[in-house]
Amino acid sequence: CPERRETRERCPRMKLRRLIKEPDLLISMAFLLGFFTICTLQVVVRFVLTVPLSWTEELVAALVIWMTFFGVIAVERKRSQIRVELLEDLLPPRPLAILYTVFDVAILACLIGIIVGGWHTIAETGYQRTPALGIPINTLIAIVPLASVVLCVIVVRNAWARLKEAWS
């Protein structure tokens, strides 16, 4: 690809490199593709061949859960979550950093609750399996506490970087 920045960003090779550096986004996209493929298969088989498949709904539900949490990790890592920009226009950097730190503490408290509740749920559902595929339910929901641990690390890292930036 040419060396000009605006052209390099559109270069397929550069996009592939960026995706490889962002495995959470790549995995989330793979789950989305799987979701789309299985939903399409379900529609075709059900309405064209009039033979519904029972396992597709379970697999699609699992893919949506996993895709959501990998997507949340990607969004939080890039600091691109939805926010009200009015505060950024009204407040100076230091009070804004303090306010966002309060938000981060609230997020961490929620994530810790999700981690604790998620581990208890995994322990309680260890013997249950999905009806059609026979996949252990705790395997399907393991992403919830695991992703929450990763999100805690990312939230702390982002908060620390924001506070350092505001005081430098």
Side-chain angles (χ1 to χ4, degrees):
C1 293
E3 291 301 317
R4 292 194 340 224
R5 180 171 173 75
E6 64 274 356
T7 308
R8 265 195 337 236
E9 290 174 356
R10 287 188 230 144
C11 175
R13 189 174 64 206
M14 298 305 279
K15 286 182 180 179
L16 182 63
R17 282 185 186 165
R18 194 181 95 228
L19 279 177
I20 291 171
K21 291 179 181 177
E22 299 173 343
D24 44 13
L25 188 59
L26 186 64
I27 292 169
S28 187
M29 290 169 60
F31 285 144
L32 179 62
L33 181 63
F35 169 79
F36 177 75
T37 303
I38 293 169
C39 284
T40 302
L41 173 71
Q42 173 69 354
V43 168
V44 168
V45 169
R46 178 174 291 199
F47 293 110
V48 174
L49 303 177
T50 63
V51 181
L53 301 172
S54 60
W55 57 269
T56 55
E57 291 179 29
E58 286 180 10
L59 191 54
V60 163
L63 289 174
V64 167
I65 292 168
W66 281 71
M67 177 186 64
T68 300
F69 280 93
F70 273 101
V72 168
I73 290 170
V75 166
E76 185 65 34
R77 185 181 46 77
K78 293 173 115 180
R79 297 184 199 176
S80 58
Q81 62 272 46
I82 297 172
R83 70 178 83 198
V84 178
E85 293 180 358
L86 179 65
L87 292 175
E88 293 174 4
D89 294 338
L90 293 176
L91 294 175
R94 287 185 181 173
L96 185 64
I98 292 169
L99 180 63
Y100 280 151
T101 302
V102 170
F103 293 163
D104 290 334
V105 168
I107 290 169
L108 285 172
C110 291
L111 287 172
I112 290 169
I114 291 170
I115 292 167
V116 171
W119 288 122
H120 288 299
T121 303
I122 286 173
E124 292 173 3
T125 59
Y127 63 91
Q128 297 177 351
R129 295 186 172 277
T130 61
L133 293 173
I135 299 171
I137 296 215
N138 58 4
T139 303
L140 297 180
I141 60 173
I143 189 64
V144 177
L146 293 174
S148 297
V149 169
V150 173
L151 285 168
C152 282
V153 172
I154 294 171
V155 166
V156 168
R157 184 198 70 186
N158 289 348
W160 182 256
R162 187 181 315 109
L163 287 170
K164 265 180 34 178
E165 183 180 302
W167 265 268
S168 60

